């Protein structure tokens, strides 16, 4: 007999040629959907009761242009909005700041003030939509802007639904859009937890994100291990502030990547639920609903190729199936052209139709956890859980996520995995269709979405006019009040909301806190 060929997942888990009943423990036969430890899903009936929320991540150029895209998506069946912000907004600079030059409106929408937020959601009643905002270091300001707009619309804040990403730890580990050092950043996050618990009871006050960790080059195992460790750090920080874990746990959500390996991804989602349930129980949660891991998924941006971009439609379809079969609560599907530019309207439409075809034509949602009981899936779920728990234990030994990040542990592990993945592509050990095998001479030109560079001056002019007509005495008083609060233990959220209602800009608020907290280098 020839030597048996060895096959491994990207996480280094060996895949056997065939699996049998003795590859899974008999205890798994008693697991029930909707019950601890939630391996099989967080609801007893899953998609038979309600499909996942179909979100499409959108935001570019001006608030006016993004508003048009939102209305387009809502008219085509999207039932949840997901807002992308440009880089200056993410790191606390107004569009007229020298650092913002060349970046205004490029990776998302530019939001400088309440005026921009009013334009962004013009014609959209915030009580009627669920809105997810991908924003972290300035998340408290964007949430304040959203709340201020909801109040202007006359909304009942207790009915607002949505999520703010608000996950600063993964910024230090993988993404880089931080402003303040870790400790004051964690203070801001726990202020948001505390305020939302009282004022926005249906709002998810954090979306603990593995997506960007995976995009930076981590494996599936590292994605959930680092993400759940970060989640553990946030819960511990909240407990130190006296926040009830059973209340907080119900408002936590997670954000994961749906990558190419269909079966490892499904196993990853199932294992993540099981691990998180155990973590929350260990931290003192007694309400089983507070132990549920509810998550949004997005198909893998880093998996998309500029070569033969139409192939990306197939990749996104496989990743969509992984998210659905893995039990996601919410999903964004990427446009096939995103390796080239922001998605065109056509690409965004096809991405949404991909979700709808899986929902209404594939049969995937017809039964709960369709792959449960598969010898392969159950074994792989156990393997992913085991390896992820080893990493979580290592992080605990280092003193938890904040300490592990400060020591560079997470960053080093992600870098090693990214290097190994790229090495395998370059040597041909890993095949990427159209990139290192099955290449063709490209004859078709894919239209690219372009952002007009004149946008920066237009946004700067809007800011100039705003500053001329607002009450600048109120602005000054608001910023002084914010500075004083930042130097105390007062919750910052009510003061930031008052500041944005007085039309203080995002950059002015971020700069005031830079004076108190400093910047992380």
């Amino acid at each position: 007999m020839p030597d048996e060929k060895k096959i491994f997942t990207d996480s280094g888990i060996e895949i056997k040629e065939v699996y049998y009943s003795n590859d899974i423990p008999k205890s798994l036969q008693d697991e029930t959907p909707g019950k601890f430890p939630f391996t099989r899903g967080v609801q007893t009936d899953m998609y038979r009761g309600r499909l996942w929320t179909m979100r499409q991540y959108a935001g570019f150029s001006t608030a006016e242009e993004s508003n048009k895209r939102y209305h387009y998506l809502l008219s085509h069946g999207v039932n949840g909005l997901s807002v992308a912000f440009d880089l200056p907004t993410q790191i606390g600079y107004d569009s007229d700041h020298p650092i913002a030059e060349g970046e205004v409106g490029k990776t998302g929408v530019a939001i400088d003030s309440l005026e921009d937020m009013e334009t962004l959601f013009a014609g959209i009643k915030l009580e009627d939509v669920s809105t997810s905002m991908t924003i972290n270091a300035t998340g408290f300001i964007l949430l304040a802007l959203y709340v201020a707009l909801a109040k202007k619309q006359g909304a009942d804040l207790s009915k607002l639904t949505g999520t703010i990403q608000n996950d600063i730890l993964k910024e230090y580990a993988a993404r880089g859009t931080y402003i303040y050092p870790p400790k004051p950043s964690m203070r801001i996050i726990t202020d948001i937890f505390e305020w939302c618990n009282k004022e926005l009871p249906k709002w998810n006050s954090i979306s603990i994100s593995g997506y960007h960790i995976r995009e930076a080059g981590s494996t599936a195992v590292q994605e959930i291990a680092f993400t759940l460790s970060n989640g553990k750090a946030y819960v511990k920080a909240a407990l130190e502030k006296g926040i009830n874990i059973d209340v907080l746990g119900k408002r936590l959500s997670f954000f994961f990547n749906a990558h190419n390996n269909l079966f490892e991804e499904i196993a990853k989602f199932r294992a993540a639920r099981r691990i998180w349930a155990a973590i929350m129980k260990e931290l003192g949660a007694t309400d089983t609903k507070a132990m549920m891991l509810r998550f949004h998924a997005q198909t893998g941006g880093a998996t998309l190729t500029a070569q033969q971009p139409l192939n990306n439609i197939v990749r996104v379809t496989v990743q969509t199936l992984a998210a659905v079969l893995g039990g996601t609560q919410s999903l964004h599907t990427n446009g096939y052209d995103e390796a080239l530019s922001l998605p065109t309207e056509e690409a965004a439409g096809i991405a949404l139709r991909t979700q709808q075809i899986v929902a209404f034509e594939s049969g995937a949602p017809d039964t709960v956890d369709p792959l449960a009981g598969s010898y392969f899936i159950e074994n792989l779920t156990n393997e992913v859980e085991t390896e992820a728990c080893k990493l979580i234990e290592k992080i605990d030994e280092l003193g938890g996520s904040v300490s592990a990040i400060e020591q560079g542990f997470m960053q080093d592990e992600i870098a090693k995995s990214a290097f190994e993945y790229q090495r395998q592509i370059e040597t041909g050990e890993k095949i990427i269709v159209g990139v290192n095998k099955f290449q063709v001479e490209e004859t078709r030109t894919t239209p690219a979405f372009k952002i007009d560079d004149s946008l920066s001056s237009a946004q700067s002019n809007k800011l100039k006019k705003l500053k001329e007509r607002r009450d600048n005495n109120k602005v000054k008083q608001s910023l002084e009040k914010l500075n004083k609060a930042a130097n105390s233990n007062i919750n910052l959220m009510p003061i930031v909301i008052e500041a944005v209602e007085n039309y203080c800009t995002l950059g002015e608020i971020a700069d005031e806190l830079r004076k108190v907290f400093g910047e992380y280098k």
Side-chain angles (χ1 to χ4, degrees):
M1 292 288 290
D3 291 337
E4 183 185 343
K5 181 182 178 183
K6 289 188 179 292
I7 296 176
F8 298 88
T9 70
D10 292 335
S11 299
I13 296 169
E14 185 175 355
I15 304 299
K16 297 198 291 187
E17 185 175 48
V18 66
Y19 290 81
Y20 297 97
S21 60
N22 60 1
D23 286 307
I24 59 173
K26 286 191 169 44
S27 60
L28 292 178
Q29 295 174 12
D30 298 326
E31 289 195 341
T32 305
K35 298 199 175 193
F36 184 91
F38 307 106
T39 310
R40 301 195 60 192
V42 294
Q43 302 297 338
T44 55
D45 58 356
M46 285 302 288
Y47 307 133
R48 287 170 70 105
R50 189 178 75 181
L51 288 173
W52 62 92
T53 300
M54 297 183 193
R55 296 188 188 278
Q56 286 305 113
Y57 188 43
F60 58 89
S61 184
T62 61
E64 290 89 348
E65 290 302 312
S66 291
N67 178 261
K68 289 176 188 174
R69 179 66 67 90
Y70 293 155
H71 281 285
Y72 169 83
L73 290 170
L74 289 167
S75 70
H76 281 72
V78 158
N79 50 11
L81 296 176
S82 188
V83 187
F85 298 96
D86 73 356
L87 191 56
T89 302
Q90 292 180 48
I91 57 175
Y93 293 107
D94 289 332
S95 298
D96 60 356
H97 196 286
I99 285 178
E101 187 175 349
E103 292 293 342
V104 176
K106 291 293 178 70
T107 62
V109 63
I111 298 293
D112 296 318
S113 70
L114 180 56
E115 188 175 75
D116 287 328
M117 191 65 92
E118 290 164 353
T119 304
L120 183 66
F121 290 102
I124 299 170
K125 194 175 177 186
L126 299 188
E127 261 190 40
D128 295 341
V129 295
S130 170
T131 304
S132 173
M133 294 189 283
T134 304
I135 195 74
N136 297 281
T138 55
F140 66 106
I141 305 174
L142 270 300
L143 180 59
L145 289 165
Y146 192 84
V147 168
L149 175 58
K151 287 167 70 176
K152 286 191 79 170
Q153 290 185 354
D156 179 349
L157 297 188
S158 68
K159 293 180 181 176
L160 289 185
T161 60
T163 303
I164 188 168
Q165 192 163 103
N166 195 30
D167 175 9
I168 201 64
L169 291 179
K170 64 93 173 51
E171 298 296 328
Y172 301 114
R175 191 161 173 266
T177 63
Y178 44 72
I179 302 174
Y180 315 113
K183 286 181 181 174
S185 292
M186 290 292 280
R187 177 256 176 103
I188 292 170
I189 285 168
T190 54
D191 278 359
I192 293 170
F193 289 168
E194 186 177 58
W195 187 83
C196 285
N197 279 349
K198 294 174 185 173
E199 305 294 337
L200 294 184
K202 291 186 177 180
W203 191 268
N204 297 321
S205 50
I206 192 168
S207 174
I208 305 157
S209 176
Y211 184 85
H212 309 91
I213 290 170
R214 191 64 175 281
E215 290 287 284
S218 81
T219 65
V221 164
Q222 289 169 337
E223 179 189 351
I224 61 168
F226 296 163
T227 305
L228 300 185
S229 288
N230 289 348
K232 194 174 180 180
Y234 291 127
V235 173
K236 284 185 172 181
L239 290 173
E240 287 172 9
K241 199 155 186 170
I243 295 171
N244 186 321
I245 191 171
D246 284 328
V247 175
L248 175 68
K250 295 171 191 174
R251 298 268 55 92
L252 298 177
S253 70
F254 289 80
F255 175 24
F256 290 121
N257 200 304
H259 221 262
N260 275 341
N261 189 315
L262 177 68
F263 299 109
E264 185 177 36
E265 294 302 291
I266 295 166
K268 175 188 79 178
F269 297 134
R270 299 174 88 248
R273 280 193 292 270
R274 193 189 293 167
I275 297 168
W276 183 247
I279 287 172
M280 288 296 278
K281 191 172 185 179
E282 182 185 327
L283 291 174
T286 56
D287 187 332
T288 55
K289 287 186 177 178
M291 304 175 199
M292 287 180 179
L293 183 149
R294 298 167 300 115
F295 73 96
H296 168 73
Q298 180 175 338
T299 56
T303 69
L304 304 182
T305 65
Q307 301 92 328
Q308 302 176 34
L310 289 177
N311 292 346
N312 294 327
I313 297 173
V314 182
R315 293 185 177 101
V316 168
T317 303
V318 171
Q319 294 161 8
T320 299
L321 277 169
V324 171
L325 294 172
T328 191
Q329 278 62 69
S330 171
L331 179 61
H332 164 84
T333 36
N334 290 333
Y336 68 84
D337 55 359
E338 289 189 47
L340 302 168
S341 69
L342 290 174
T344 59
E345 200 167 86
E346 178 198 49
I350 291 171
L352 175 59
R353 293 291 179 251
T354 302
Q355 291 201 52
Q356 291 165 338
I357 289 167
V358 169
F360 299 108
E361 299 183 28
S362 74
D366 291 350
T367 189
V368 179
D369 196 16
L371 297 184
S374 156
Y375 303 148
F376 176 36
I377 285 294
E378 297 294 4
N379 179 275
L380 191 53
T381 299
N382 288 350
E383 290 285 336
V384 170
E385 178 188 17
T386 299
E387 295 305 312
C389 285
K390 287 178 185 174
L391 266 179
I392 291 170
E393 286 170 15
K394 173 69 175 172
I395 291 165
D396 287 342
E397 288 169 7
L398 293 171
S401 277
V402 175
S403 180
I405 289 166
E406 288 174 341
Q407 294 174 57
F409 173 74
M410 288 189 191
Q411 299 93 310
D412 288 347
E413 292 297 301
I414 293 167
K416 288 174 191 172
S417 296
F419 178 84
E420 176 60 18
Y421 186 82
Q422 186 62 27
R423 185 197 67 77
Q424 290 179 11
I425 292 172
E426 292 186 10
T427 60
E429 293 171 56
K430 175 173 287 297
I431 293 170
I432 306 296
V433 174
V435 175
N436 62 356
K437 198 164 186 179
F438 312 113
Q439 299 103 319
V440 296
E441 186 178 341
E442 300 280 348
T443 57
R444 184 182 187 272
T445 302
T446 302
F449 190 87
K450 299 291 184 186
I451 302 295
D452 191 340
D453 283 329
S454 65
L455 169 65
S456 182
S457 59
Q459 276 291 112
S460 296
N461 287 334
K462 281 173 65 178
L463 265 174
K464 183 180 178 184
K465 290 176 183 176
L466 171 69
K467 289 176 180 179
E468 287 171 353
R469 66 174 179 271
R470 70 186 182 179
D471 187 333
N472 284 298
N473 284 328
K474 285 187 177 179
V475 168
K476 183 182 176 185
Q477 290 167 9
S478 294
L479 294 175
E480 287 172 352
K481 191 174 179 181
L482 178 62
N483 188 296
K484 187 177 178 181
N487 278 296
S488 72
N489 292 322
I490 295 171
N491 191 299
L492 296 177
M493 281 305 298
I495 295 153
V496 176
I497 292 168
E498 182 184 318
V500 301
E501 288 176 330
N502 288 327
Y503 289 90
C504 292
T505 69
L506 174 136
E508 288 169 337
I509 293 168
D511 280 347
E512 199 62 39
L513 294 184
R514 282 183 176 96
K515 294 176 188 176
V516 180
F517 299 145
E519 290 188 85
Y520 182 73
K521 302 292 184 184

